[in-house]
Amino acid sequence: MSQQQVIHLLINQEEVKTPSYMEVRDPGRLTDVVGNVAIGSVAHVDQAVRAAHQAFQSWKTVAVEERCRLLLRAAELIQSEGEAVARLLTKEAGMLLSVYRGEVGMAINVLKATTEWAQTFFSPKQVEDGQSWVSLEKRPLGVIAAIVPWNLPLMLTMQKLAAILVTGNTIVIKPSPFAAIGVSVVLKKIAAMFPPGVINVIHGEAEVGSALSTHPLVRKISFTGGGKTAQFVMRDAADSLKHVQFELGGNDPAIVLDDANVDEVMPQIAAAAFRRSGQICVATKRVYVPKQYYERACELVCAYADQFSIGHGLDEKATFSPVNNRIQYQFVKELLERTRQSNARVMELGTRLEPENWENGYYLHPTVVMYPDPGQEIVTCEQFGPVLPIVPYHTEEEAIQWANSTEYGLGSSIWSSDPERALRVARHIEAGMTCINGANLSPLGLKHVPFGGVKQSGIGREKTEVGLAEFIEYHGINYHKETS
Ligand code: NAD
C-alpha cells in the first residue's frame, strides 16, 4: 500500500470518481497528507442504494452456509493484510499501531463469531398439530445503511457488515471522513469476493448521511456515533418509517465499593480509562471512590497515567497517542479549561516524546480530575478524551444514584471483594452492560453479551443472535392441512 491513498466511492464493485475529494492529514503530524477521500452526492447515494437493492434480489436467496463461507474469506483477507491496514489506520486516525493491530484481531473475531451465531440463529422453527403446521421464517429486510464513526473504524464496520450480510441483506456503508482510508482499502477487496452490489461504500458527511437516512429503498439504518447525529438520523428516517439501530455515546461509571482492594483495582480502572486515549464508547469515564480511600485511589491513578509516553502512533516508544480530530481536540481542551475554573483539581500527566511536534498534532496529556462536583460537566458529559474524573462518595446509595444520574447507559463496572454485594449493586445500574471486577467484557462475555446501551446510549443491540435479529423480519406461515 502506497503512502498517499486516493479513495473513490465503491458502487456495484466499480470505483466511482467524484468532482471533489477531502484531504486527510495525520492527526499526529498535521503537516503530513495521508490521502484523499471522495465526497459523494445525493445522486451517488441513490446509485449505491439502487445497486444494493438490485443485488438484494438474488443475495437474499443465497444459502446461509455460502454467506458464512464468504465472511470467513473476508476474515482471512483481513488477516493477511492486517499489518498494512493497521499502519494505514495509525497514519489516518492517530491511535497507536499496537491498538490497530488489536483492532485487526477484533475485526477478524467478529466476522468469525457472526458465522457461529448464525448457526443457532437460523435453526428452523416449525411446529405442527393435527390441523395445521406453522413455520416461523426469518426474512432479510433489504438494503441496510451502515453509518460508522472513526474511533473503531475497522471493527465496527466488520461487525455491521457481518450481521447485515449473514442475514441476507445488502449494505451501503458510510465510513467516517476521519477514518475512511484503511477501511475502504479493505472493503474494496472484500466487496470483490461477494456478488456485485452486495457491498457498496459511499463517502461524505451530513448530506450523504442524510441522503441514506431518507432514501425510500433503505430499510434500516444501523448507526454508530454521537447522540446528536442520531437525532438527525431518526428525523430523516421518519418519513419512510425506517427501522433504526443506534449504538451511541457512553459515560461509563466505575463504582469502587469500600471492600475492594484499592491498590489492585485502581490501575485496572486507569488502564480502561486511558486506552485509545479515552476515545472509546465503553471506556470508564468517571470513577466513584469511597471517601476514606480517595487520596490513595487518586495517587494510584495518577501514578499509572504519569507513566505514559505521549507521541506519534507509529513511534515505537509511544504508549499514548493524539486524539483523532480538531473538533474532538478543541472540545476536550475547552472542557478542561472550564474545569480549571471550578474547585476541581486538574492534573495533566505523562511525558511528551517529541515536544517540538506537540503543536503539529492533536496531542493531549492523560488527565486526572480530582474533587469534581458529582454534577459537574466533566463528570456528566461524554468527553470522549483522555480524562478521568474521580468523585469521592459517602454511601453506596449515593454512588449508585450518581452513576445513574446521566442520560447515558452503555457500559459500567463494579469493583468489590464481595461477589453477592457486587451483583446486587450491578443490578441497580442503568446500563446495557455491567462488568464486575473488570472494566471490559471477558472472552466469554464477548461471545454471549449483546452489545449496546440503554437510555440515550442506544436503541437495539449488536453481536450475538440478538444482534442478528436486528436485521430480519419474521414471516409466519400457517398451513391448514384440511380446509374447513
Ligand atoms: P458522529 O455522530 O459525529 O459521526 C458518526 C457518523 O455519522 C459519521 O460517519 C458521520 O459522517 C455520520 N454523519 C454525520 N452527520 C450525519 C447525518 N446528518 N446523517 C447521517 N450520518 C451523519 O460520531 P463520531 O464523532 O464519528 O464518533 C464518536 C461517537 O460515536 C461518540 O459519541 C461515541 O461514543 C460513539 N460511539 C458509540 C459506540 C457504541 O457502540 N455505542 C461505538 C463507537 C463510537
Side-chain angles (χ1 to χ4, degrees):
M1 285 172 199
S2 74
Q3 278 297 82
Q4 276 214 20
Q5 300 278 337
V6 180
I7 302 295
H8 309 290
L9 310 180
L10 186 70
I11 301 175
N12 229 357
Q13 278 179 353
E14 305 262 327
E15 284 191 310
V16 176
K17 294 184 180 160
T18 62
S20 50
Y21 283 72
M22 189 189 93
E23 190 178 73
V24 176
R25 286 176 182 259
D26 179 341
R29 193 153 289 135
L30 291 168
T31 38
D32 286 5
V33 176
V34 186
N36 289 280
V37 178
I39 301 175
S41 64
V42 174
H44 289 124
V45 170
D46 183 55
Q47 212 183 324
V49 172
R50 286 185 189 284
H53 182 67
Q54 178 68 36
F56 175 64
Q57 309 314 322
S58 50
W59 178 248
K60 66 183 176 186
T61 66
V62 170
V64 176
E65 294 71 25
E66 174 63 5
R67 295 178 201 155
C68 288
R69 189 186 68 79
L70 292 173
L71 289 174
L72 291 173
R73 277 191 64 201
E76 279 167 24
L77 178 112
I78 295 177
Q79 178 86 59
S80 65
E81 307 261 322
E83 183 60 18
V85 175
R87 285 184 176 274
L88 202 42
L89 286 167
T90 306
K91 279 294 277 176
E92 70 165 326
M95 295 185 201
L96 299 173
L97 178 59
S98 59
V99 162
Y100 289 118
R101 284 180 176 144
E103 186 170 338
V104 163
M106 289 156 85
I108 294 167
N109 287 347
V110 81
L111 284 162
K112 288 183 178 167
T114 303
T115 65
E116 287 166 26
W117 295 321
Q119 305 309 314
T120 39
F121 184 70
F122 283 110
S123 59
K125 174 123 176 86
Q126 289 182 350
V127 287
E128 106 179 90
D129 64 10
Q131 281 84 48
S132 73
W133 62 256
V134 169
S135 175
L136 191 54
E137 310 201 340
K138 290 168 176 159
R139 296 284 178 85
L141 303 175
V143 179
I144 312 285
I147 302 179
V148 186
W150 48 263
N151 70 317
L152 269 152
L154 185 66
M155 199 283 279
L156 290 175
T157 302
M158 291 307 143
Q159 185 164 298
K160 290 186 191 301
L161 177 142
I164 288 165
L165 298 191
V166 88
T167 43
N169 304 282
T170 53
I171 191 169
V172 179
I173 301 165
K174 198 201 86 57
S176 165
F178 297 118
I181 298 178
V183 167
S184 301
V185 167
V186 173
L187 281 172
K188 187 178 151 195
K189 294 185 178 170
I190 293 180
M193 297 171 168
F194 286 75
V198 169
I199 298 172
N200 307 276
V201 189
I202 196 99
H203 295 288
E205 250 297 347
E207 188 197 19
V208 162
S210 181
L212 280 170
S213 308
T214 47
H215 199 293
L217 288 177
V218 172
R219 298 293 171 216
K220 183 160 189 164
I221 309 288
S222 176
F223 171 86
T224 301
K228 286 212 164 61
T229 318
Q231 291 174 6
F232 287 111
V233 173
M234 204 170 204
R235 284 190 202 110
D236 282 341
D239 279 347
S240 47
L241 296 177
K242 280 187 198 18
H243 303 235
V244 292
Q245 184 227 343
F246 288 161
E247 298 289 347
L248 309 179
N251 185 0
D252 295 5
I255 299 182
V256 180
L257 296 179
D258 58 14
D259 55 38
N261 181 333
V262 177
D263 284 35
E264 271 178 20
V265 308
M266 294 319 292
Q268 291 183 59
I269 291 174
F274 291 116
R275 74 196 163 110
R276 291 181 169 256
S277 301
Q279 303 168 108
I280 183 156
C281 52
V282 282
T284 301
K285 283 276 160 241
R286 49 196 166 119
V287 193
Y288 299 96
V289 175
K291 185 121 188 77
Q292 62 269 34
Y293 305 134
Y294 187 73
E295 290 287 334
R296 175 71 186 145
C298 292
E299 192 186 310
L300 288 159
V301 173
C302 287
Y304 189 95
D306 208 29
Q307 290 170 23
F308 285 116
S309 301
I310 312 158
H312 192 278
L314 288 176
D315 182 340
E316 283 175 5
K317 293 190 288 309
T319 53
F320 203 83
S321 55
V323 298
N324 171 273
N325 60 72
R326 182 168 298 283
I327 305 165
Q328 187 59 29
Y329 174 73
Q330 278 302 123
F331 175 72
V332 177
K333 274 185 88 121
E334 286 165 19
L335 181 62
L336 287 174
E337 207 39 60
R338 289 194 292 279
T339 307
R340 274 192 203 93
Q341 311 301 317
S342 72
N343 292 327
R345 205 186 304 161
V346 177
M347 276 157 307
E348 292 189 332
L349 302 151
T351 309
R352 299 177 182 191
L353 274 178
E354 285 181 274
E356 68 286 359
N357 192 44
W358 190 257
E359 300 298 330
N360 190 25
Y362 302 128
Y363 291 98
L364 292 169
H365 284 267
T367 304
V368 176
V369 178
M370 281 178 74
Y371 293 108
D373 186 271
Q376 198 171 330
E377 186 186 20
I378 190 75
V379 181
T380 57
C381 80
E382 187 197 31
Q383 30 94 359
F384 214 59
V387 184
L388 187 63
I390 308 180
V391 183
Y393 73 83
H394 292 93
T395 64
E396 183 185 297
E397 292 69 31
E398 188 176 55
I400 294 171
Q401 191 213 322
W402 287 344
N404 289 338
S405 67
T406 75
E407 275 310 316
Y408 297 104
L410 190 58
S412 51
S413 61
I414 309 296
W415 303 80
S416 168
S417 58
D418 177 344
E420 282 179 23
R421 182 179 176 206
L423 191 57
R424 179 174 51 73
V425 173
R427 288 188 170 133
H428 284 291
I429 301 299
E430 295 168 358
M433 299 160 286
T434 301
C435 292
I436 295 172
N437 292 343
N440 308 305
L441 294 172
S442 68
L444 187 71
L446 283 172
K447 207 160 182 187
H448 293 282
V449 175
F451 189 94
V454 303
K455 301 199 284 191
Q456 290 189 24
S457 281
I459 296 176
R461 291 289 183 273
E462 288 196 283
K463 299 173 77 178
T464 78
E465 292 85 352
V466 177
L468 297 189
E470 293 280 344
F471 299 112
I472 54 109
E473 292 280 23
Y474 288 96
H475 187 194
I477 300 176
N478 191 178
Y479 182 90
H480 293 256
K481 291 180 177 174
E482 285 178 30
T483 43
S484 51

